[in-house]
Amino acid sequence: MPIHASPGQTVLRVQDLGIHLKPSHALPEGRKLLQGCSFELRAGERLTLVGESGAGKSLLAQAIMGTLPGVMQVSGQVQIVGRETNGQRPRTQPLWGKQIVMLPQEPWTALNPVMRLRTQVAEAGRFASGHAWTVAFQKADQHLAALGLSHAGRQWLHQVSGGMAQRVGIACASQSDARVLIADEPTKGLDASACEQVAQLLGSAQQQGQALLTITHDLDLALRLGGRVAVMRQGTIVETGEVAAVLAAPEHAYTRELVAAQPRHWPMLARPRSRAQGNEVIAADQVSVQFDDRAVLQGASLPIAEGASVAVVGPSGSGKTTLGNVLLGLLKPRQGSVRRRAGVPAWRFQKLYQDPVASFAPGQTIRRGLQDLLHLHHLDATPMGTWLQRLRLTDDLLDRLPSDVSGGELQRLAILRAMLLQPVFVFADEPTSRLDALTQRETMVALCEAMAESACAMLLVSHDPHLAHKTTHGQWRIDRGQLQTFA
């Protein structure tokens, strides 16, 4: 079914959009989160929002979709295909899937854990676009294949990596013939090859007249998608223009800082090790893991010593997260064994999840969760203030539910929580995938400094070889189940 949109037709108009926290006992006058945002999207156009974590990019998308949390209110105007919706859910919900569709930042919260992935993609085509089931399954297979996921169609959500789940979500969103597609961080945690596949799939719909609004911290993706870019900072749009021109010669100082802060330009952040080699904290010994009939790891051995940091890179779905989960005891290997330092309680071996929303209790404020954790393990809360400063987080974020903070803020709150537990080992699975380049650099500086100060060991999983090289003492690659060192 083609996307019915005339060339030049305005399909999304946002005028002077603002978002405020409603007044409460703690904040009697409320608080501005977003103000003065205006733009238009015509059929077939592309606009990419970039900027600092917590600037309001995802809130802007939620306001357009009418899905803001109840503690927030909208001002200004939103028009979708000529209809005044103004961020109100009752006005917007009838348009979901038919006129506008959104790929959320967290695929784990959008995908069904008790339905096979191929069926979920087909279901999106059946009910969003009205395709017959046979056509819906054909299109699902085509989109999964285009994203390198032909083998994953019959798997369940828990059997795939975060990056693979991300691409399944993209396949679901691509099934709709809606006139507007909003993609929130569609390539977070993906390697370069998978990013290219995603960009091609997103771009193909624009050739049929679909408008694309993308939210990303990845400036390379913005350039690859083309069209226009809007740079956001502190709840406002500070610069707009054609993406190639803006990134080549940015006018605003913040945009210039953002361009210069890409990981390939970083200095070395991993401090030289000052302690003796060989004081092992954790190690995998000839570990093999198999899912159904697919070998994910084959004879992987990786010792990590006190104060050492190592990175593992490789394509999405290659087994990077699987290796970390085996080290932590979250997954049992088919063969091989894992050694962990004796006498250390299990809770001092910590994991930073690629999808941090999955690791926070959804109905509990972040502060309550941290207090419970410190009480359970008889730990001091004093370092909390220091970590809030190091990670550029405000104290009021702790009084929100996990769903009421941005993905980048939640990712840094997960780091704060892990470091309060005084870990001896941290498995950091794409710990900054939701952060803009500036915040990513500041966060990795804080994490590397903490590793050096406490002699904590770290396993970092990243799709970015530049980030891996700048932040760790040694780098490994997983290729077809084989773990190999390359630095």
Side-chain angles (χ1 to χ4, degrees):
M1 183 185 297
I3 297 168
H4 301 290
S6 304
Q9 177 188 2
T10 298
V11 292
L12 177 63
R13 177 180 286 116
V14 174
Q15 184 64 41
D16 198 28
L17 186 69
I19 301 175
H20 307 76
L21 279 176
K22 293 179 180 178
S24 64
H25 177 72
L27 291 169
E29 298 180 0
R31 179 186 170 192
K32 291 183 179 180
L33 303 175
L34 197 76
Q35 54 186 331
C37 290
S38 301
F39 60 85
E40 291 185 2
L41 264 179
R42 294 179 174 84
E45 285 188 334
R46 307 176 190 182
L47 174 65
T48 303
L49 297 178
V50 301
E52 63 185 353
S53 303
K57 303 185 297 297
S58 294
L59 288 180
L60 174 59
Q62 291 176 44
I64 294 170
M65 292 297 295
T67 56
L68 281 173
V71 296
M72 300 177 188
Q73 59 188 15
V74 183
S75 60
Q77 293 182 319
V78 177
Q79 285 186 352
I80 301 173
V81 197
R83 302 186 189 184
E84 293 274 355
T85 56
N86 299 339
Q88 305 303 311
R89 183 171 182 140
R91 297 183 182 182
T92 312
Q93 191 166 357
L95 306 179
W96 290 355
K98 299 178 177 64
Q99 302 291 354
I100 189 167
V101 65
M102 181 173 175
L103 170 66
Q105 186 176 134
E106 306 295 346
W108 292 104
T109 63
L111 295 173
N112 190 333
V114 296
M115 184 184 293
R116 294 188 190 275
L117 299 177
R118 177 176 180 259
T119 304
Q120 294 190 61
V121 179
E123 187 179 67
R126 175 73 179 95
F127 294 106
S129 299
H131 297 309
W133 276 112
T134 54
V135 175
F137 274 109
Q138 288 173 359
K139 289 174 67 69
D141 291 339
Q142 291 170 3
H143 285 167
L144 287 171
L147 293 167
L149 294 173
S150 297
H151 66 283
R154 290 196 55 78
Q155 292 182 305
W156 308 92
L157 181 59
H158 72 274
Q159 294 177 313
V160 299
S161 70
M164 294 169 72
Q166 182 74 10
R167 284 179 283 165
V168 172
I170 292 167
C172 288
S174 301
Q175 292 289 94
S176 171
D177 291 318
R179 300 190 194 185
V180 182
L181 170 60
I182 302 177
D184 193 355
E185 295 287 4
T187 59
K188 67 180 187 299
L190 299 183
D191 60 275
S193 176
C195 287
E196 179 65 22
Q197 293 171 338
V198 169
Q200 289 179 358
L201 186 59
L202 292 175
S204 64
Q206 277 67 69
Q207 297 172 4
Q208 303 175 40
Q210 186 179 68
L212 175 65
L213 176 62
T214 305
I215 297 167
T216 185
H217 69 274
D218 187 345
L219 300 186
D220 291 334
L221 175 65
L223 195 61
R224 170 66 180 79
L225 291 173
R228 292 178 291 131
V229 67
V231 182
M232 291 188 67
R233 189 185 189 195
Q234 296 177 350
T236 62
I237 296 175
V238 298
E239 185 168 0
T240 61
E242 292 299 314
V243 61
V246 169
L247 296 185
E251 295 181 359
H252 195 278
Y254 175 74
T255 310
R256 291 195 294 270
E257 291 177 8
L258 205 59
V259 171
Q262 301 302 299
R264 57 180 169 268
H265 301 309
W266 293 0
M268 283 297 298
L269 302 184
R271 297 180 185 177
R273 292 187 58 205
S274 58
R275 294 181 178 246
Q277 298 281 342
N279 194 5
E280 187 178 276
V281 174
I282 197 167
D285 186 14
Q286 293 295 310
V287 163
S288 295
V289 177
Q290 185 169 320
F291 293 143
D292 294 331
D293 58 349
R294 186 169 70 97
V296 179
L297 291 175
Q298 302 179 58
S301 294
L302 181 64
I304 307 178
E306 186 178 74
S309 57
V310 297
V312 176
V313 301
S316 177
S318 62
K320 303 184 299 294
T321 298
T322 296
L323 175 60
N325 286 341
V326 168
L327 283 171
L328 289 176
L330 301 176
L331 184 66
K332 186 176 180 179
R334 183 171 62 89
Q335 293 179 341
S337 61
V338 174
R339 298 186 301 274
R340 302 180 193 91
R341 177 176 289 180
V344 179
W347 52 267
R348 293 190 66 192
F349 293 84
Q350 281 291 305
K351 177 177 179 178
L352 299 174
Y353 285 78
Q354 183 177 358
D355 294 291
V357 68
S359 66
F360 284 85
Q364 185 183 59
T365 67
I366 294 165
R367 190 186 303 277
R368 179 74 261 177
L370 293 175
Q371 290 173 340
D372 288 349
L373 198 65
L374 294 172
H375 177 74
L376 176 65
H377 299 299
H378 309 288
L379 295 172
D380 185 10
T382 304
M384 191 181 303
T386 300
W387 273 105
L388 286 171
Q389 292 179 354
R390 293 178 81 167
L391 296 170
R392 279 208 305 127
L393 296 166
T394 57
D395 184 77
D396 66 286
L397 290 174
L398 302 182
D399 294 314
R400 299 188 198 175
L401 296 174
S403 59
D404 294 339
V405 301
S406 73
E409 289 166 338
L410 196 61
Q411 207 158 35
R412 284 176 286 162
L413 287 164
I415 293 174
L416 177 149
R417 181 178 63 182
M419 299 315 297
L420 288 178
L421 291 174
Q422 303 171 10
V424 297
F425 171 74
V426 171
F427 167 35
D429 192 359
E430 298 283 4
T432 58
S433 60
R434 290 157 175 75
L435 303 181
D436 65 273
L438 281 167
T439 309
Q440 183 181 59
R441 184 177 63 189
E442 293 171 351
T443 302
M444 288 308 302
V445 166
L447 194 56
C448 289
E449 287 178 347
M451 297 298 104
E453 292 165 3
S454 63
C456 181
M458 179 172 70
L459 171 64
L460 172 71
V461 162
S462 178
H463 72 281
D464 188 335
H466 299 291
L467 185 148
H469 173 68
K470 300 292 187 178
T471 58
T472 60
H473 300 113
Q475 295 82 49
W476 298 69
R477 182 187 304 278
I478 297 181
D479 184 17
R480 298 179 182 179
Q482 301 291 327
L483 184 63
Q484 303 166 345
T485 182
F486 69 96

